[in-house]
């Protein structure tokens, strides 16, 4: 493959990126430039460790030893409300979104569309205020992966890792019963450089009455692909990637890990069920164990190849109350901080990376154990 810069379009979101391997050779005078490795920044005492249950709000979900009491020791995994929530459950009371009579039927219908994956209100401009706002009504939760002070999810046992994945499902199922909510973001920040404020491995769950814009873009683009081709864009991508093997990092019986065709950061990796599944809520216990083992393998390979980068992973699944669409296919995106976004990224949403994804895939395959 040549070093010529190449434009690539992500088939799911429609975003364009630049792959420019030559830029890897540019002189860099700032010593703290890319990549962004995990920094410890660890502090004790840790409010997420066993024995510190009083340091967190009361748990809303837990996997516990028989006979143990809520909010005491004897747990394997806990979900607690975030002490510093971005969303508040009781913020709905004064919400204009839910006050009939304050809006026309058109506006109300448009708002109801939010639950069907519509982020932007549609209609005649004079139907809407210039400045739309609503109370941040929703839920912000922290899922503490394990009682021991572990700072790296690959150090979880397979069972612990599978429990994390199954607990994502449980929280999605619980939160999806709330008709006020449109979307649940489930993600993990690993390392301070990826936004983690505490080292003890944990995930975040944020349920909102709106569908975030990146999800909206994926849903819209994926729906358009299906309308045009009659197939799911993710299913097509998986089929082609498996046939060519160029971007496949690893696979198990039912899941595959591939490098993104048009990555935002070098080594951006997606993990998908091979068969079409619109909703993560359908994940079975055996599938969770299989997925846990695959994720640990590819994350360890990423740590080897990129010397423990900070990263996020996030779950993308069909929004709440949006049925089981043929055009959307849940997946996990793993986004390592292998560079620092600059003007083109922040100002225009166009990412430049310096590693050709097919090269990245072969490096990771060689590091898989
Ligand atoms: Zn801890
Ligand atoms: Zn599909």
């Amino acid at each position: 493959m040549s070093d010529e810069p190449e434009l690539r379009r992500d088939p799911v979101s429609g975003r364009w990126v630049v792959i420019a391997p030559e830029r890897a050779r540019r002189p860099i005078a700032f010593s703290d430039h890319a990549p962004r490795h995990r920094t410890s920044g660890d502090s004790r005492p840790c409010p997420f460790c066993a024995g510190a249950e009083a340091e967190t709000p009361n748990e809303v979900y837990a996997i516990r030893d028989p006979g143990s009491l809520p909010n005491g020791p004897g747990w394997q995994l806990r979900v607690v409300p975030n002490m510093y929530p971005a969303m508040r459950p009781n913020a709905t009371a004064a919400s204009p979104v839910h006050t009939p009579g304050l809006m026309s039927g058109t506006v109300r219908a448009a708002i109801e569309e939010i639950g069907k994956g519509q982020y932007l209100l549609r209609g005649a401009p004079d139907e809407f205020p210039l400045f739309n706002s609503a109370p941040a009504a929703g839920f912000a939760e922290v899922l503490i992966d394990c009682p021991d002070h572990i700072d790296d999810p690959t150090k979880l046992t397979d069972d612990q890792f599978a429990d994390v994945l199954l607990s994502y499902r449980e929280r999605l199922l619980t939160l999806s019963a709330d008709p006020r909510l449109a979307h649940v973001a489930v993600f993990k920040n690993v390392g301070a450089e990826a936004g983690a404020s505490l080292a003890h491995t944990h995930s975040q769950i944020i349920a909102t009455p709106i569908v975030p814009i990146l999800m909206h873009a994926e849903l819209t683009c994926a729906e358009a692909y299906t309308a045009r081709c009659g197939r799911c864009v993710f299913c097509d991508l998986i089929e082609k990637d498996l046939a060519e093997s160029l971007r496949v990092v690893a696979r198990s019986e039912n899941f595959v890990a591939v490098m993104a065709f048009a990555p935002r950061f070098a080594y951006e990796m997606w993990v998908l069920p091979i068969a079409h599944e619109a909703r993560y809520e359908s994940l079975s216990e055996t599938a969770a164990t299989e997925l846990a083992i695959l994720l640990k393998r590819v994350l360890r390979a990423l740590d080897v190849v990129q010397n423990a980068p900070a990263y996020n992973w996030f779950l993308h699944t069909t929004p709440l109350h949006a049925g089981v669409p043929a055009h959307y296919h849940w997946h996990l995106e793993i986004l390592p901080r292998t560079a620092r976004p600059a003007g083109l990224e922040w100002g225009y949403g166009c990412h430049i990376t310096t590693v050709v994804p097919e090269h990245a895939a072969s490096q990771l395959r060689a590091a898989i154990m």
Side-chain angles (χ1 to χ4, degrees):
M1 244 163 267
S2 85
D3 266 5
E4 290 292 307
E6 183 187 12
L7 279 164
R8 289 192 181 194
R9 180 182 177 276
D10 181 81
V12 176
S13 65
R15 70 177 158 255
W16 285 92
V17 304
V18 186
I19 315 282
E22 255 186 2
R23 281 180 55 78
R25 290 196 287 273
R26 71 195 186 280
I28 291 171
F30 296 107
S31 58
D32 65 344
H33 201 79
R36 315 300 295 162
H37 295 292
R38 291 207 286 276
T39 47
S40 68
D42 206 355
S43 64
R44 306 282 189 103
C46 168
F48 292 169
C49 277
E53 293 80 13
E55 302 295 313
T56 62
N58 287 346
E59 63 202 37
V60 294
Y61 176 84
I63 299 176
R64 292 194 150 275
D65 300 339
S68 68
L69 294 173
N71 305 306
W75 53 278
Q76 305 307 318
L77 176 154
R78 291 179 86 215
V79 180
V80 298
N82 196 313
M83 289 267 274
Y84 310 97
M87 292 281 145
R88 287 179 192 275
N90 55 6
T92 48
S95 166
V97 173
H98 300 286
T99 310
L102 284 185
M103 59 186 89
S104 73
T106 317
V107 177
R108 197 153 49 241
I111 287 168
E112 278 160 12
E113 287 227 314
I114 290 172
K116 298 174 196 150
Q118 302 303 313
Y119 173 73
L120 298 167
L121 303 183
R122 289 184 182 149
D126 59 357
E127 296 260 19
F128 302 100
L130 174 62
F131 300 113
N132 276 305
S133 69
F139 296 87
E141 301 175 343
V142 175
L143 187 155
I144 307 166
D145 296 355
C146 63
D148 309 314
H149 195 77
I150 289 174
D151 66 354
D152 177 347
T154 68
K155 291 179 183 151
L156 296 171
T157 65
D158 294 348
D159 284 346
Q160 285 176 320
F161 207 124
D163 279 344
V164 170
L165 298 173
L166 287 169
S167 300
Y168 290 174
R169 180 192 72 184
E170 292 311 300
R171 294 316 295 157
L172 272 165
L173 285 168
T174 299
L175 292 163
S176 65
D178 190 329
R180 300 167 302 172
L181 299 172
H183 184 261
V184 182
V186 181
F187 58 95
K188 182 185 275 292
N189 307 328
V190 182
E193 294 293 348
S197 46
L198 288 168
H200 191 133
T201 181
H202 64 284
S203 308
Q204 290 196 48
I205 298 166
I206 298 186
T208 55
I210 54 94
V211 176
I213 195 153
L214 294 184
M215 280 303 299
H216 178 71
E218 278 197 7
L219 289 155
T220 306
C221 205
E223 191 172 9
Y225 184 93
T226 302
R228 200 168 59 244
C229 308
R231 295 182 303 274
C232 161
V233 63
F234 296 92
C235 286
D236 274 8
L237 183 152
I238 291 164
E239 191 184 315
K240 199 149 182 64
D241 273 358
L242 282 174
E244 294 177 347
S245 297
L246 280 174
R247 282 176 297 276
V248 174
V249 176
R251 73 162 285 182
S252 60
E253 191 185 345
N254 298 295
F255 295 96
V256 64
V258 298
M259 301 313 297
F261 171 75
R264 285 158 289 184
F265 290 87
Y267 302 91
E268 176 178 345
M269 186 165 22
W270 296 1
V271 181
L272 314 94
I274 292 170
H276 185 78
E277 288 284 356
R279 309 198 71 96
Y280 183 82
E281 291 93 316
S282 62
L283 186 76
S284 71
E285 289 187 21
T286 50
T289 301
E290 184 186 324
L291 179 59
I293 292 167
L294 181 69
L295 279 169
K296 281 174 68 175
R297 290 175 72 212
V298 298
L299 289 168
R300 282 194 188 122
L302 180 67
D303 280 349
V304 168
V305 170
Q306 278 294 292
N307 191 18
Y311 60 84
N312 307 98
W313 80 51
F314 19 87
L315 173 65
H316 280 185
T317 182
T318 302
L320 308 184
H321 324 301
V324 187
H327 62 263
Y328 202 72
H329 190 129
W330 76 259
H331 58 283
L332 284 160
E333 299 187 6
I334 300 166
L335 200 65
R337 298 304 178 84
T338 44
R340 208 177 235 190
L344 193 64
E345 288 84 359
W346 286 122
Y348 304 93
C350 182
H351 287 253
I352 308 179
T353 55
T354 56
V355 183
V356 178
E358 292 73 19
H359 289 177
S362 71
Q363 282 179 290
L364 286 178
R365 276 198 301 272
I368 288 273
M369 282 175 276

